[in-house]
Amino acid sequence: MSEKTLRKVKRQLPLYLMALPGLIYLLINNYIPMSGLVVAFKNFNFKDGIYSSPWCGFQNFKYLFSTSTSFVITRNTLLYNLVFIVLNTVVAIAIAILLNEIKNRFFVKSFQTVILLPYLLSIIIIGYLVYAFLSNDMGFVNTQILRPMGKEEINWYTTPQYWPFILVFVNTLKNFGFLAIIYYATVISISSDYYEAAQLDGAGKLKQIWYITLPFLKPTVIMMVLLAIGRIFFSDFGLFYQVPQNSGALFSVTNTIDTYVYRALIQLGDVGMASAAGVYQSIVGFVLILITNLIVRKISPENALF
């Protein structure tokens, strides 16, 4: 090793040491468990273990996609996540811009705390809060809104048509605050000189947002959307299992790949099929990230993730 290289290594050694705990965590939590992916291609049994169980090729994948509900769970997972990505992004950007218009620091901190609180709450707690509103006998909506208005009460947990809207609302309420804080951090980093110059040119508030705020936000939005697309075939298990109270009458609109695999494990104990679903979700998510990033690179190369 040359003296120049040695000096460079010594200069960067503190950075390597700072990164070491994170690298060790990634190795233990993310990379070593990847060896267990072989379960997806095996007829797993607990007696023989992971590596001694007999190989079965793609039989686990065949079983996963041959079920009558395979189309429903794939459709639900994909469409819900598409709506979540679009709606959460739009709402979060709007809230971030509105926060930037508040000049009182006390109110800004207060609003940040309020919008972030649902994100910090457990989905189990949120599920019980939803139940408090939608319970058939004691729910707020039935007893305090529909009943006094003389309307027929709704059995929410056996009526599927309302749940796509309920789930989208709950997901947005829980997650938009976290995204809004990220976008707000980008907005406040924009130099005020741009806005002052725009005001001198006669640009109103909407034009300032369209021609200054949104272009500066674009790289952050693209990065967050790409990360979300990478998990588009994964669903929030608690949202689709805990919030609807695992009601069988709602499976047509609440059953996703994750909840289906969980129920299959509970009822059948089929570890191989569950692993196959995980491999399927990861591969599709990885491919979608590559495709989306390729599209972004073609349209706006400077904003591509890689």
Side-chain angles (χ1 to χ4, degrees):
M1 185 180 294
S2 65
E3 185 178 348
K4 182 179 179 180
T5 304
L6 187 61
R7 287 200 305 268
K8 184 178 180 181
V9 171
K10 286 183 178 179
R11 187 169 62 251
Q12 295 180 347
L13 184 61
L15 298 177
Y16 291 136
L17 292 176
M18 289 174 62
L20 187 60
L23 293 174
I24 293 174
Y25 171 80
L26 287 174
L27 178 66
I28 295 174
N29 191 71
N30 293 70
Y31 287 98
I32 293 179
M34 287 179 68
S35 62
L37 292 178
V38 297
V39 176
F41 306 94
K42 289 197 169 191
N43 186 14
F44 177 80
N45 62 76
F46 291 96
K47 179 181 177 181
D48 296 329
I50 294 177
Y51 301 106
S52 298
S53 295
W55 293 92
C56 66
F58 291 94
Q59 289 301 313
N60 289 321
F61 293 90
K62 182 179 179 181
Y63 173 75
L64 176 66
F65 293 111
S66 64
T67 58
S68 59
T69 57
S70 60
F71 170 75
V72 173
I73 62 176
T74 302
R75 178 202 64 191
N76 288 347
T77 304
L78 183 61
L79 293 182
Y80 273 122
N81 279 326
L82 283 174
V83 174
F84 293 162
I85 291 171
V86 174
L87 191 59
N88 288 348
T89 301
V90 171
V91 173
I93 291 174
I95 296 299
I97 293 173
L98 291 175
L99 281 175
N100 190 51
E101 296 302 315
I102 302 175
K103 304 306 178 184
N104 188 301
R105 290 183 59 85
F106 172 77
F107 287 114
V108 170
K109 297 295 183 183
S110 300
F111 286 131
Q112 284 179 320
T113 303
V114 170
I115 64 176
L116 191 59
L117 185 60
Y119 181 80
L120 302 176
L121 289 177
S122 166
I123 193 66
I124 297 175
I125 296 176
I126 291 178
Y128 282 116
L129 289 174
V130 173
Y131 184 76
F133 277 89
L134 303 182
S135 172
N136 298 332
D137 300 323
M138 303 297 294
F140 179 83
V141 175
N142 279 345
T143 59
Q144 303 300 320
I145 298 178
L146 297 181
R147 192 180 298 170
M149 293 175 62
K151 301 289 185 178
E152 183 178 354
E153 297 179 12
I154 300 173
N155 193 341
W156 296 97
Y157 289 91
T158 59
T159 312
Q161 62 262 32
Y162 299 108
W163 280 90
F165 304 100
I166 294 171
L167 292 174
V168 169
F169 175 78
V170 172
N171 179 269
T172 303
L173 184 65
K174 179 172 172 55
N175 293 301
F176 85 92
F178 175 73
L179 284 174
I181 298 301
I182 293 177
Y183 295 143
Y184 176 65
T186 303
V187 171
I188 62 177
S189 67
I190 302 172
S191 174
S192 60
D193 294 343
Y194 293 103
Y195 296 103
E196 292 172 0
Q199 287 177 342
L200 291 176
D201 289 340
K205 189 63 66 177
L206 291 178
K207 286 188 175 181
Q208 292 176 33
I209 292 172
W210 185 258
Y211 291 106
I212 300 175
T213 307
L214 293 181
F216 274 99
L217 269 175
K218 186 166 71 170
T220 306
V221 172
I222 289 174
M223 182 185 69
M224 298 304 295
V225 170
L226 282 174
L227 293 175
I229 288 175
R231 294 190 58 82
I232 201 168
F233 266 74
F234 291 81
S235 61
D236 185 338
F237 177 80
L239 176 67
F240 292 98
Y241 184 86
Q242 186 66 39
V243 174
Q245 300 292 314
N246 193 28
S247 173
L250 305 177
F251 281 178
S252 61
V253 294
T254 62
N255 204 10
T256 62
I257 296 175
D258 295 84
T259 57
Y260 172 78
V261 169
Y262 174 78
R263 293 185 183 106
L265 280 171
I266 293 297
Q267 297 171 9
L268 304 176
D270 195 336
V271 179
M273 190 273 289
S275 181
V279 172
Y280 162 64
Q281 290 174 304
S282 299
I283 291 176
V284 172
F286 178 69
V287 171
L288 285 173
I289 283 184
L290 294 179
I291 294 173
T292 308
N293 188 74
L294 180 62
I295 295 172
V296 172
R297 197 165 58 196
K298 292 289 185 182
I299 299 174
S300 180
E302 69 277 6
N303 293 316
L305 195 60
F306 51 87

